[in-house]
Amino acid sequence: MKKTLAVFFALTFVFTSFTWAQTIEDAMRLTSQERGVGSRALGMGNAYIGVSDDFSATYWNPAGLAQMRRIEITGGLTHYSYSNSTAYLGQTTDDSKSATKLDNIGFAFPFPTRQGSFVIAFGYNRVADYTTALSYNGYNPNSSIIPTLHDASDTYNIPFNTYLESESGYTALNGNVNQNGVVRESGGLGNWAFAAAIDVAPDISFGLTFNVLNGSYKYERTYIESDAHNVYNNMNPNLPVDSAYLRFNKFTLDNVIDDNITGINAMFGMMYRSDRFRIGLTIKTPTTVKVTET
């Protein structure tokens, strides 16, 4: 019987691969992929589905919890550092951002059994980080952002409402401005995991994790154009109000997107253990996500 099961699981391992449903980053159009949980798993290149013998099994393969024989309490911090260099209009600008966050905190409790194993676990796993930074700066003699912000509606016509274009829609601000900007992304995604695992045979276990996702994402962009070379310095006090572009000094545009993320998913896991190898198999449900955006 054991030999038959070993052959079955080996064939399953060889002829199966990951099948992805829509991921949370697809739903939010964010490019960050989940980075995984647990320093040991990350150190193994995320090849942890067949190991999963600690609390991080709630993320990788809940069936692995059945291997635990002692109570486990775990916790950790993660420090994320991001830096880049941007070339814009012949100038190079360096920028960086870092964040220290709770990585995981969890509890696993094996119940006494006459045979086999029954283990429950719950806790928090941080699965993604959205920290980025970008800055740029340069002098643009050929164009300005201000004409591109023109809108036929007076409500959303930023140049008109800030007196940078005339009533006829004319503005002299079409170049010779210094442009600089700062873009910041922050936030992350985590899940509260509730898991259980049981041995159904001496070398076979099944497990289930139910995840409640919670996270945030914030995008902040500050863009500034300024008259660095005093091109627009007409200080005539008799200029009409809608000719303020002739004494233009600086224009600042702020964009902020603030998202609150919630969701749920579940994972079913199975593990076969022998004296020489272990094989894990997981099936994850599609993730249902709700994003509330301001």
Side-chain angles (χ1 to χ4, degrees), residues 82-86 92-97 132-135 183:
Y82 181 95
S83 62
N84 70 8
S85 182
T86 304
T92 300
T93 305
D94 298 323
D95 203 352
S96 63
K97 187 177 182 181
T132 67
L134 180 147
S135 297
V183 179

Side-chain angles (χ1 to χ4, degrees), residues 232-254:
Y232 310 98
N233 59 356
N234 190 331
M235 301 306 294
N236 186 341
N238 298 319
L239 282 175
V241 172
D242 64 355
S243 298
Y245 54 82
L246 294 177
R247 49 174 174 256
F248 168 74
N249 178 255
K250 184 169 71 172
F251 173 79
T252 302
L253 179 65
D254 290 317

Side-chain angles (χ1 to χ4, degrees), residues 16-77:
T16 6
S17 61
F18 288 106
T19 302
W20 297 102
Q22 184 186 42
T23 62
I24 189 168
E25 56 269 20
D26 294 328
M28 297 189 304
R29 296 183 181 178
L30 299 178
T31 58
S32 300
Q33 297 290 325
E34 291 188 9
R35 56 179 171 77
V37 171
S39 57
R40 185 182 176 200
L42 296 176
M44 295 173 63
N46 295 347
Y48 209 63
I49 292 176
V51 181
S52 299
D53 54 3
D54 54 20
F55 171 77
S56 65
T58 58
Y59 179 83
W60 298 105
N61 184 357
L65 290 170
Q67 303 174 93
M68 301 181 67
R69 298 294 183 264
R70 298 179 181 176
I71 294 174
E72 178 178 305
I73 300 174
T74 184
L77 298 174

Side-chain angles (χ1 to χ4, degrees), residues 140-217:
N140 191 339
N142 301 315
S143 63
S144 163
I145 195 177
I146 292 170
T148 70
L149 300 175
H150 173 85
D151 190 280
S153 167
D154 288 342
T155 303
Y156 299 105
N157 192 346
I158 294 175
F160 179 76
N161 290 330
T162 53
Y163 305 105
L164 295 179
E165 76 173 19
S166 66
E167 291 182 350
S168 64
Y170 171 77
T171 179
L173 295 168
N174 51 23
N176 296 307
V177 290
N178 193 80
Q179 300 172 328
N180 67 82
V182 177
V183 179
R184 292 284 187 271
E185 289 180 294
S186 60
L189 184 67
N191 61 50
W192 290 97
F194 304 87
I198 188 171
D199 277 337
V200 296
D203 48 10
I204 301 175
S205 59
F206 291 97
L208 178 68
T209 298
F210 179 75
N211 292 311
V212 178
L213 281 70
N214 181 264
S216 64
Y217 168 75

